[in-house]
Amino acid sequence: MTDAVKLAVRIAAAQLSGLSRTRTLVPAGPFTGLLAPSGPDYLNYTVAARPGEPVLDPAEVDAGLDALRAAFPEGTLRFELIDEATPGVVDALEGAGLGVTLRVPVLTIEPPDLVRPEPAPGVTVELVTTERDHVLGSALAHRAFGMGGADLPTGPPPEPQDGGMVLARMDGEPVAVASWTPVADGVTEVVGVATVEEYRRQGFGGLVTAHAVDRVVALAGATLAWLTPGSADADRVYRKVGFQPVATAVHLAEEPAL
């Protein structure tokens, strides 16, 4: 097993372990479904149950899919996999009729490699510690991703080991946000990096990403952060603060029955 594959397996295993603390689990043979009890559909997806082990038996795949279909609402079954950590899985799922919806690089960073941009005058970046800022940051991300204002969190933010958020302000107004997922085996995923439309292309994406990494390292002991860029522009932003590609993320989904 190469170092790159070992790293991919570590990330996939941590993804399952970390998210298992906040999701309802659906055991499905070589797969584990992750259902957010009160969250929106985009938080419900399936990952590999045995990162690093090949999945080659079509009967095992079919049985796992049957278990997942019984638990997921019709038309919402989807997978988020790290290709190098799940040998044979993507081909097996495509053979079972699922389609690839996304194929993007997995970028990672270790703390010593982080490049910390200097904030512009009037810009502050702070850890979110109050319910008000948690809602503000989540609403900003929802708007940036075209999701409206539904499904915003309630209550205070979690403890840093279980996830967190940083919020950037320009002259006191929220303009950008970045979050991280629960930390497991020192690994976390940076997610929800978003900037208000009129402030884009001004360095806020890299700024909040770097601050999120700094905070999860300092407060939750993370030793490796990873993310998947949503576009070529985002990819360039993340690489500027030190992230580098190590693997490939593949998302698959099942079309609803007609």
Side-chain angles (χ1 to χ4, degrees):
M1 187 181 293
T2 67
D3 288 345
V5 172
K6 289 178 182 178
L7 188 56
V9 170
R10 180 186 173 197
I11 292 168
Q15 179 187 34
L16 173 59
S17 176
L19 292 176
S20 293
R21 304 204 299 263
T22 59
R23 307 291 174 88
T24 299
L25 304 187
V26 182
F31 313 118
T32 298
L34 303 169
L35 294 173
S38 58
D41 283 345
Y42 73 86
L43 292 178
N44 301 328
Y45 54 89
T46 299
V47 298
R50 306 190 298 260
E53 295 184 22
V55 177
L56 304 174
D57 183 356
E60 187 181 32
V61 171
D62 288 343
L65 287 172
D66 287 343
L68 292 166
R69 289 180 182 120
F72 280 68
E74 183 177 351
T76 66
L77 179 58
R78 63 189 188 88
F79 289 74
E80 294 192 5
L81 304 171
I82 298 176
D83 200 14
E84 293 81 355
T86 54
V89 173
V90 173
D91 288 344
L93 291 174
E94 287 190 287
L98 280 79
V100 173
T101 60
L102 184 69
R103 191 183 297 269
V104 292
V106 172
L107 307 181
T108 67
I109 193 167
E110 295 181 352
D113 299 323
L114 183 65
V115 177
R116 298 166 178 83
E118 285 293 327
V123 174
T124 60
V125 186
E126 297 178 347
L127 176 71
V128 168
T129 58
T130 67
E131 180 176 0
R132 176 178 180 275
D133 280 355
H134 197 205
V135 173
L136 276 175
S138 299
L140 190 159
H142 277 59
R143 290 195 305 272
F145 294 123
M147 296 163 52
D151 303 309
L152 292 177
T154 57
E159 292 298 314
Q161 183 71 26
D162 294 322
M165 176 186 291
V166 294
L167 185 62
R169 288 181 166 89
M170 167 66 85
D171 297 327
E173 291 297 318
V175 296
V177 64
S179 300
W180 66 84
T181 61
V183 180
D185 186 29
V187 180
T188 187
E189 182 184 6
V190 177
V191 296
V193 180
T195 303
V196 173
E197 187 172 2
E198 56 266 37
Y199 289 94
R200 292 175 185 170
R201 299 185 181 274
Q202 297 181 37
F204 285 103
L207 183 67
V208 292
T209 299
H211 273 263
V213 174
D214 249 346
R215 293 297 84 206
V216 71
V217 169
L219 299 174
T223 57
L224 181 75
W226 67 282
L227 50 72
T228 53
S231 66
D233 284 344
D235 187 289
R236 287 190 288 270
V237 167
Y238 300 139
R239 296 193 194 209
K240 284 183 179 178
V241 297
F243 282 82
Q244 293 297 321
V246 298
T248 306
V250 181
H251 296 186
L252 303 98
E254 183 173 58
E255 292 293 333
L258 297 177

